[in-house]
């Protein structure tokens, strides 16, 4: 039987630690970290994510401004609004909730966020720093995965790490983070032949493909650490991950559930990035 990696518990610990640090920062500097979240349109899932982020800010003591914009906003006006927040010294982090409505260019919008305020770590400059290993921020979901590994005493060093999925948001940065901690990393994807043969070699297997119960027991090595990044709905409409949890769990040594695994860590690491941005911002302005 696997040890269940409790993301809710670890995320609560991270938030409690950040609350303490934030209170100390406010007491010493009379300034509170601040996050601006820009939501365009009325996508229900995006609205839930934004509410969760605002709630986490409130719990920790981070100031948050949620800007809700109409779906038919022009690209020029969206970029103007982002740049206006970028110019504000009292705003430490800026996040544009994705996906944007049709007709808007997400890449151009994200390029308006200065690298030092890009708490999602999507800016090309931040992506370059992640590649080099001298980053200021890490993308929130893979950073959450690494935090879970650290807190459960699981080191990637010397281990075979297989990542299924090659997205810019999870797969690629996940591979780089495991590599920076001396894992031997392989990225698999839809064009990988004999996928199960590759995944069975993994000491640490990260599933980030967005397909419900895609990773089955025959794809997992006995005693592997299995990290499920997916959030899907099964045939009954029930929340599930990319891993067939019920059948994989008996083979794994550690496994993340869905819900309650990686998901809660994403928001916790966004809060960590916002706090780091505030520290950097204050240091720069003092200098």
């Amino acid at each position: 039987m696997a040890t269940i990696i409790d993301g809710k518990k670890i995320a609560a610990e991270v938030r409690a630690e950040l609350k303490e640090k934030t209170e100390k920062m406010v007491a010493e500097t009379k300034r509170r970290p601040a996050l601006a979240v820009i939501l365009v349109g009325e996508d229900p899932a995006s609205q839930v994510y934004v509410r969760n982020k605002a709630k986490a800010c409130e719990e920790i003591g981070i100031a948050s401004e949620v800007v809700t914009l109409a779906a038919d906003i022009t690209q020029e006006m969206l970029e103007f609004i982002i740049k206006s927040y970028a110019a504000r010294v009292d705003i430490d982090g800026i996040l544009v909730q994705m996906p944007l409505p049709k007709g808007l260019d997400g890449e151009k919008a994200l390029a308006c966020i200065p690298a030092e305020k890009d708490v999602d770590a999507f800016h090309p400059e931040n992506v370059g720093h992640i590649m080099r290993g001298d980053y200021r921020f890490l993308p929130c979901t893979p950073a959450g995965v690494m935090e879970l590994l650290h807190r459960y005493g699981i080191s990637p060093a010397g281990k075979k790490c297989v990542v299924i999925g090659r997205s810019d948001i999870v797969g690629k940065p996940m591979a780089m983070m495991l590599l920076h901690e001396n894992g031997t990393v392989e990225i698999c994807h839809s064009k990988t032949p004999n996928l199960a043969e590759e995944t069975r070699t993994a000491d640490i297997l990260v599933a980030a493909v967005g397909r419900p119960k895609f990773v089955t027991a025959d794809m997992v090595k006995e005693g592997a650490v299995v990290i499920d990044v997916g959030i899907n709905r099964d045939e009954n409409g029930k929340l599930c991950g990319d891993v067939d949890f019920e059948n994989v769990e008996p083979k794994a040594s550690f496994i993340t559930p869905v819900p309650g695994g990686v998901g809660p860590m994403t928001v916790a690491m966004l809060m960590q990035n916002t706090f780091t941005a505030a520290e950097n911002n204050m240091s720069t302005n003092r200098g």
Side-chain angles (χ1 to χ4, degrees):
M1 295 290 282
T3 297
I4 308 300
I5 295 176
D6 190 342
K8 280 182 77 172
K9 174 174 168 284
I10 300 301
E13 288 175 8
V14 171
R15 292 196 309 270
E17 290 162 12
L18 283 171
K19 183 177 182 180
E20 199 174 302
K21 288 179 184 175
T22 299
E23 286 170 355
K24 186 168 184 276
M25 176 183 282
V26 173
E28 289 177 355
T29 68
K30 306 294 184 262
R31 190 188 180 289
R32 194 173 292 282
L35 173 69
V37 181
I38 297 169
L39 173 64
V40 186
E42 297 179 351
D43 178 70
S46 292
Q47 289 176 330
V48 170
Y49 291 139
V50 168
R51 278 200 300 273
N52 288 343
K53 288 162 186 174
K55 188 178 171 187
C57 284
E58 187 178 358
E59 178 190 340
I60 291 164
I62 292 172
S64 68
E65 289 189 31
V66 177
V67 189
T68 306
L69 305 172
D72 61 356
I73 192 171
T74 64
Q75 182 77 27
E76 292 73 23
M77 182 54 71
L78 174 59
E79 291 181 18
F80 174 80
I81 290 167
I82 296 169
K83 287 173 183 174
S84 70
Y85 276 94
R88 282 175 51 180
V89 179
D90 63 321
I91 294 292
D92 302 300
I94 303 169
L95 181 152
V96 177
Q97 185 64 46
M98 295 291 169
L100 291 175
K102 278 187 178 176
L104 292 172
D105 188 324
E107 280 192 25
K108 281 186 178 176
L110 292 174
C112 297
I113 303 173
E116 66 274 12
K117 296 190 179 189
D118 166 41
V119 287
D120 260 337
F122 293 160
H123 190 287
E125 184 180 321
N126 286 330
V127 172
H129 283 297
I130 292 160
M131 177 70 73
R132 287 165 54 96
D134 59 354
Y135 42 80
R136 53 163 79 87
F137 310 121
L138 291 169
C140 301
T141 298
V145 171
M146 296 308 294
E147 191 69 20
L148 289 175
L149 294 178
H150 295 156
R151 299 217 179 200
Y152 274 81
I154 302 163
S155 170
K159 295 194 176 78
K160 176 71 177 288
C161 306
V162 175
V163 179
I164 315 174
R166 52 179 166 177
S167 73
D168 293 337
I169 296 170
V170 180
K172 290 175 187 172
M174 186 79 258
M176 292 311 305
M177 289 181 214
L178 290 164
L179 187 61
H180 288 320
E181 296 202 14
N182 300 312
T184 299
V185 183
E186 179 179 351
I187 301 178
C188 295
H189 45 78
S190 58
K191 297 289 190 288
T192 301
N194 305 315
L195 179 63
E197 288 181 23
E198 303 299 333
T199 59
R200 277 195 295 269
T201 67
D203 301 305
I204 298 174
L205 178 63
V206 181
V209 285
R211 292 172 62 181
K213 301 182 183 180
F214 177 78
V215 176
T216 51
D218 65 306
M219 297 171 69
V220 178
K221 182 167 88 169
E222 195 77 42
V225 175
V226 180
I227 304 294
D228 190 348
V229 180
I231 302 176
N232 314 290
R233 297 277 176 184
D234 66 13
E235 61 279 6
N236 303 312
K238 189 181 173 187
L239 210 59
C240 69
D242 290 350
V243 175
D244 179 5
F245 183 89
E246 191 179 334
N247 294 307
V248 170
E249 185 265 336
K251 285 186 81 172
S253 57
F254 292 85
I255 191 168
T256 58
V258 175
V262 175
M265 293 301 297
T266 299
V267 175
M269 301 321 289
L270 171 65
M271 298 298 106
Q272 175 64 67
N273 282 353
T274 303
F275 182 84
T276 300
E279 283 187 314
N280 294 344
N281 187 7
M282 281 186 263
S283 172
T284 302
N285 287 324
R286 276 198 302 267

